[in-house]
């Protein structure tokens, strides 16, 4: 037995070591891509931190994974003796456990369940051969070492000491499923072949699973002793049923129990089932199909009401009753209708009232309900096509649409998708999958466009800010010069206008500490102190004249005007021709747009704002620590309606902020001080970081609501 266990361990190490390494590489690559597409810097930072944590723990994860598999094999006798006690049993209600633990349990159960189904025949043979090695009864698939459940548990154990939040932990599980669990078939074939070669049930055949009432069912009732092969064939249906016991039905049953507790707490019963014959699934789908294709009125589009929809469905069923017998909803179908209605109530509430996306979501209600009635994995599979399409439409409506941001192309695309679902869905979930891919490509294109537009706006804002800093440095230098001297009126006008722009250009290129900026400040000091002597009377005049002419050329004055101005700048009594030229130059300088400003009337000066309160000052300090990419809600009217804006950039020097909408377009000019004052008044508030998709958050909220009506249970040691 020891040699056999060591051989299994060697096969497992040889198979899982490279497979796990590939899985960790896939996780790292996928996290990096997700970080690049993150909607804000906080989300991007969380994903980079997850990448860093996994890289640091890479070797430890692989060691802990192998150690868990080895420990399973080493404790084979103990495991075999207690296997049946370890099999997880389906529960009828959610236990009082941590929500994150429950999420992990369900995710790993789904992964292991799919692997059980994919490899059912090979696992059947392996469990029987392992029973021979352990000298025990045939263990359930969930308990056999190296089985899918134990492999999934090993990966969970390997990640247990890595600091990952729930979202990234579940993401790692899904990547492990794709890279490792989905490729287990050759591994089980290999160890079955090796065990057969070691004379462990060498003649065991893979059974073809049949229903218990099939031609071979009578064999089980005979009194003949069972050979290992016969025993394997007799247990095949049970193995198949266990392999198909995914968490879908379990969680749906839990939701039904909680929904029933809610109805009892409210003193109501399931309307539609009492005193009516339950409609068959075909009749129900037929009625829903007619509702799906029926045109919607303007009133229906404007207002969504799941309760009204359910009543309409019940009326339609009664009218469609054969032979005058009233049809209603069976208990399970009624629960499905109510749960999907609660889901749509939550989703629609998260979309702005009056948005066109609300009517689109309302039209998806019937097709999604038809999917849920026939496929309970809709409630548990995050990657279910109908669930993902609903989530994409809902999140797009919640984030991409408001009065000023509506994108006509996106609105038409979403309308086309919903129209296609309403017209063509008749039970084939592939319709959702195809449209989801099409809409996803469109959304990726929009996201890339938004990134480009946002980057351009950030670059422009940084350029404006640098120019403002340069102009302020130039103004300050000219003010210092004028305060130290009393220049002639024309010299003062030149310094305050054209020469200030020339100084600003120098500061913009090299900064206020650059050599060019310093030379031009010296020129300003020279001409401000100068008397009436024209330039050219001293040895340094040529250098001053060249610097002056060069700077005036750069700010847009024509060559003749520059020469005329410099030649006559210090002349007390210029000739009539020179006077006319200087008058024209003075008017040109007065009307010339200043550097970095528009040729528009100046805005009226604002009153000096009052000093900031302590609360506003504290808010300002918090705002300065806010990462770029943080989303904020702006209250836009007295009714409390809000609009989302992203803080794309701000300057710690000038306090200027850049807020953009979902499409990356610049909206409204603000300063950090203005935003801090509005935040202190509650007019602007940061948007809380959203964990998971909108549909995931909806189910969590629904379960939380239903559990408030769950009867209290005296469970010893249960955590609240």
């Amino acid at each position: 037995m020891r040699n056999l266990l060591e051989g299994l361990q060697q096969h497992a190490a040889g198979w899982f070591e490279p497979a796990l390494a590939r899985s960790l590489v896939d996780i790292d690559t996928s996290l990096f891509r997700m970080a690049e597409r993150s909607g804000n810097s906080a989300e991007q930072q969380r994903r980079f931190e997850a990448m860093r944590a996994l890289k640091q723990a890479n070797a430890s994860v692989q060691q802990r994974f192998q150690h868990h598999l080895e420990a399973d094999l080493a404790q084979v006798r103990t495991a075999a003796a207690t296997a049946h006690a370890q099999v997880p049993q389906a529960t009828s209600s959610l236990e009082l456990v941590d929500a994150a633990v429950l999420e992990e349990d369900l995710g790993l159960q789904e992964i292991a369940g799919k692997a059980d189904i994919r490899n059912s025949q090979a696992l059947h043979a392996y469990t029987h051969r392992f029973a021979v090695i352990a000298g025990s009864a045939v263990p359930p698939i969930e308990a056999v070492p190296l089985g899918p459940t134990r492999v999934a548990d090993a990966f969970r154990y390997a990640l247990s000491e890595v600091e990952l939040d729930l979202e990234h932990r579940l993401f790692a599980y899904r990547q492990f499923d794709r890279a490792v669990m989905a490729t287990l078939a050759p591994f089980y074939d290999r160890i079955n072949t090796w065990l057969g070669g070691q004379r462990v049930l060498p003649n065991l055949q893979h059974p073809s699973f049949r229903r218990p009432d099939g031609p071979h069912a009578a064999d089980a009732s005979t009194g003949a002793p069972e050979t290992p092969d016969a025993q394997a064939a007799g247990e095949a249906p049970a193995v198949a049923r266990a392999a198909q016991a995914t968490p879908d039905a379990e969680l749906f049953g839990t939701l039904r129990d909680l929904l029933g507790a809610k109805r009892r707490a409210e003193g109501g019963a399931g309307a539609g089932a009492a005193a009516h014959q339950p409609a068959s699934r075909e009749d129900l789908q037929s009625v829903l199909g007619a509702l799906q294709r029926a045109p919607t009125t303007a009133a229906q589009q404007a207002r969504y009401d799941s309760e009204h929809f359910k009543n309409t469905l019940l009326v339609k069923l009664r009218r469609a009753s054969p032979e005058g017998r009233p049809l209603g909803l069976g208990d399970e179908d009624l629960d499905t209708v109510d749960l999907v209605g609660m889901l749509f109530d939550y989703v629609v509430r998260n979309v702005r009232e009056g948005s066109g996306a609300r009517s689109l979501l309302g039209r998806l209600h019937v097709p999604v309900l038809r999917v849920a009635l026939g496929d309970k994995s809709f409630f548990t599979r995050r990657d279910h096509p109908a669930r993902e399409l609903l989530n994409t439409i809902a999140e797009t409506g919640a984030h991409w649409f408001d009065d000023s941001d509506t994108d006509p192309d996106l609105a038409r695309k979403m309308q086309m998708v919903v129209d296609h679902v309403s017209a063509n869905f008749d039970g084939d979930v592939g319709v959702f999958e195809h449209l989801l891919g099409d809409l996803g490509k469109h959304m990726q294109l929009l996201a890339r466009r938004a990134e480009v537009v946002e980057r351009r706006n950030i670059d422009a804002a940084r350029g404006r800010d640098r120019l403002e800093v340069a102009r302020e440095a130039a103004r300050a230098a000219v003010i210092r010069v004028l305060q130290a001297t009393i220049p002639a009126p024309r010299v003062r006008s030149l310094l305050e206008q054209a020469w200030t722009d020339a100084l600003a250009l120098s500061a913009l290129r090299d900064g206020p500490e650059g050599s060019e900026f310093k030379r031009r400040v010296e020129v300003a000091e020279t001409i401000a102190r100068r008397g009436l002597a024209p330039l050219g009377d001293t040895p340094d005049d040529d250098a001053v004249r060249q610097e002056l002419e060069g700077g005036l050329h750069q700010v847009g004055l024509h060559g003749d005007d520059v020469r005329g101005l410099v030649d006559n700048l210090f002349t007390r009594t210029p000739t009539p021709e020179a006077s006319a030229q200087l008058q024209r130059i003075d008017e040109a300088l007065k009307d010339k747009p200043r550097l970095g400003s528009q040729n528009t009337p100046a805005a009226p000066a604002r009153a000096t704002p009052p000093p900031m309160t302590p609360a506003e000052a504290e808010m300002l300090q918090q705002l300065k620590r806010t990462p770029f990419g943080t989303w904020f809600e702006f209250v836009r009217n007295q009714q409390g309606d809000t609009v989302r804006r992203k803080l794309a950039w701000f300057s710690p020097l000038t306090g200027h902020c850049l807020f953009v909408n979902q499409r990356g377009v610049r909206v409204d000019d603000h300063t950090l001080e203005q935003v801090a004052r509005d935040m202190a008044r509650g007019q602007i508030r940061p948007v809380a970081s959203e964990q998971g998709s909108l549909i995931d958050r909806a189910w969590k909220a629904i379960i939380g609501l239903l559990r408030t009506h769950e009867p209290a249970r005296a469970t010893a040691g249960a955590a609240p």
Side-chain angles (χ1 to χ4, degrees), residues 43 101 173 219 248 370 398 558 580 608 625 633 683 699:
E43 182 180 8
V101 175
Y173 293 160
D219 295 346
D248 301 336
R370 295 181 69 189
H558 296 293
T608 303
R625 297 191 294 268
E633 286 183 341
Q683 297 300 300
W699 281 128

Side-chain angles (χ1 to χ4, degrees), residues 92-406:
S92 60
S93 60
L94 290 175
E95 298 297 331
L96 296 176
V97 297
D98 184 80
V101 175
L102 179 62
E103 288 273 352
E104 288 192 57
D105 289 343
L106 292 177
L108 288 170
Q109 286 176 24
E110 180 181 357
I111 290 171
K114 290 188 296 184
D116 287 349
I117 295 172
R118 284 193 296 262
N119 305 287
S120 55
Q121 292 188 346
L123 284 170
H124 166 79
Y126 171 62
T127 54
H128 283 76
R129 288 189 166 106
F130 193 84
V132 173
I133 298 174
S136 67
V138 177
I141 295 177
E142 294 86 346
V144 66
L146 303 183
T149 299
R150 304 305 296 157
V151 171
D153 288 343
F155 188 63
R156 183 181 194 171
Y157 172 76
L159 289 185
S160 61
E161 293 188 352
V162 183
E163 293 186 2
L164 296 175
D165 57 26
L166 178 61
E167 176 190 356
H168 294 122
R169 194 172 293 276
L170 294 176
F171 175 77
Y173 293 160
R174 291 193 293 272
Q175 293 298 114
F176 179 77
D177 181 27
R178 296 188 183 98
V180 178
M181 302 295 282
T183 62
L184 284 177
F187 170 69
Y188 291 127
D189 288 342
R190 179 182 298 179
I191 60 176
N192 270 318
T193 301
W194 180 77
L195 288 173
Q198 299 296 315
R199 297 184 175 276
V200 180
L201 298 183
N203 299 318
L204 180 62
Q205 301 295 320
H206 293 329
S208 57
F209 296 152
R210 303 178 177 86
R211 294 182 180 273
D213 55 353
H216 297 272
D219 295 346
S221 62
T222 64
E226 291 185 344
T227 64
D229 289 356
Q231 182 185 11
E235 293 186 10
V239 174
R241 287 194 299 271
Q244 295 168 356
T246 63
D248 301 336
E250 177 184 342
L251 181 58
F252 181 65
T254 297
L255 292 171
R256 291 189 64 196
D257 289 343
L258 294 174
L259 185 60
K262 175 178 180 291
R263 292 194 186 114
R264 289 189 296 272
E266 295 174 349
H276 297 107
Q277 176 183 349
S280 67
R281 188 58 53 82
E282 292 75 15
D283 289 339
L284 181 54
Q285 289 285 0
S286 176
V287 170
L288 287 171
L291 281 173
Q292 173 183 310
R293 290 181 287 273
T296 56
T297 65
Q300 290 173 328
Q301 291 181 357
R303 183 173 182 273
Y304 171 82
D305 187 343
S306 64
E307 192 64 29
H308 176 74
F309 166 79
K310 184 172 78 170
N311 293 333
T312 301
L313 175 60
L314 293 174
V315 170
K316 295 285 186 183
L317 282 173
R318 286 195 292 269
R319 290 177 180 173
S321 302
E323 302 176 1
R325 291 178 297 174
L327 289 180
L329 291 170
D331 291 341
E332 181 177 313
D333 292 339
L334 175 63
D335 291 343
T336 303
V337 169
D338 284 343
L339 288 169
V340 173
M342 294 174 73
L343 171 64
F344 272 83
D345 283 336
Y346 181 95
V347 169
V348 169
R349 282 198 304 271
N350 279 269
V351 178
R352 182 181 58 82
E353 189 171 357
S355 168
R358 275 201 169 191
S359 62
L360 295 178
L361 287 169
R363 292 180 57 199
L364 283 176
H365 186 170
V366 177
V368 169
L369 174 59
R370 295 181 69 189
V371 171
L373 286 166
D375 183 5
K376 295 304 180 285
S377 69
F378 170 81
F379 295 96
T380 55
R381 277 184 55 198
R382 286 186 173 86
D383 60 347
H384 194 288
R387 180 164 164 169
E388 286 196 329
L389 180 64
L390 174 62
N391 185 76
T392 301
I393 296 288
E395 291 193 338
T396 301
H399 297 161
W400 284 78
F401 285 85
D402 63 37
D403 289 342
S404 61
D405 297 344
T406 302

Side-chain angles (χ1 to χ4, degrees), residues 376-540:
K376 295 304 180 285
S377 69
F378 170 81
F379 295 96
T380 55
R381 277 184 55 198
R382 286 186 173 86
D383 60 347
H384 194 288
R387 180 164 164 169
E388 286 196 329
L389 180 64
L390 174 62
N391 185 76
T392 301
I393 296 288
E395 291 193 338
T396 301
H399 297 161
W400 284 78
F401 285 85
D402 63 37
D403 289 342
S404 61
D405 297 344
T406 302
D407 184 338
D409 290 340
L410 179 57
R412 284 192 294 270
K413 187 68 175 181
M414 292 173 62
Q415 182 73 48
M416 183 204 72
V417 168
V418 175
D419 288 345
H420 191 90
V421 171
S422 299
N424 298 291
F425 175 71
D426 196 20
D428 181 12
V429 183
V431 172
F432 286 90
E433 195 165 0
H434 170 72
L435 292 173
L436 177 64
D438 189 30
L439 183 58
K441 292 178 182 177
H442 189 81
M443 294 302 299
Q444 289 176 1
L445 177 62
L446 288 181
R448 287 195 293 270
R449 287 178 181 172
E451 289 175 2
V452 172
V453 173
E454 180 180 334
R455 176 51 53 191
R456 289 174 179 170
N457 280 310
I458 291 174
D459 291 342
R462 284 175 171 161
R464 289 191 299 270
D465 197 68
R466 289 179 58 230
L467 179 57
E468 179 62 29
V469 172
R471 290 180 62 183
E472 185 59 36
R475 282 195 295 265
V478 170
I479 288 173
R480 288 194 300 270
V481 170
L482 295 178
Q483 287 175 343
T485 59
I486 305 177
R490 180 166 282 115
V491 174
R492 173 181 285 273
S493 177
L494 174 67
L495 292 178
E496 290 179 336
Q497 297 178 33
W499 201 244
T500 297
D501 288 349
L503 281 169
L505 282 176
S506 299
L508 194 60
R509 281 194 294 265
D510 301 324
E513 302 301 322
S515 59
E516 183 181 84
F517 184 85
K518 292 179 178 179
R519 286 199 312 271
R520 290 184 174 178
V521 171
E522 292 173 356
V523 168
E525 293 172 344
T526 300
I527 64 176
R529 292 194 303 265
R530 195 174 187 87
L532 298 177
L535 288 173
D537 292 349
T538 66
D540 295 333

Side-chain angles (χ1 to χ4, degrees), residues 488-491 494 530-536 545 548-549 552 559-586:
R490 180 166 282 115
V491 174
L494 174 67
R530 195 174 187 87
L532 298 177
L535 288 173
R545 183 186 182 95
L548 192 59
E549 289 180 351
L552 294 177
D560 292 341
D561 292 341
V562 170
R563 285 189 294 273
L565 178 61
V566 174
D567 288 341
N568 299 283
L569 186 60
F570 300 101
T571 303
R572 180 188 293 270
T573 56
T575 63
E577 294 81 4
S579 296
Q581 185 183 30
L582 289 172
Q583 182 66 29
R584 183 173 56 79
I585 294 172
D586 289 343

Side-chain angles (χ1 to χ4, degrees), residues 75-98:
Q75 299 172 2
V76 59
R77 292 190 181 277
T78 304
T82 60
H84 292 277
Q86 295 175 356
V87 179
Q89 301 296 326
T91 57
S92 60
S93 60
L94 290 175
E95 298 297 331
L96 296 176
V97 297
D98 184 80

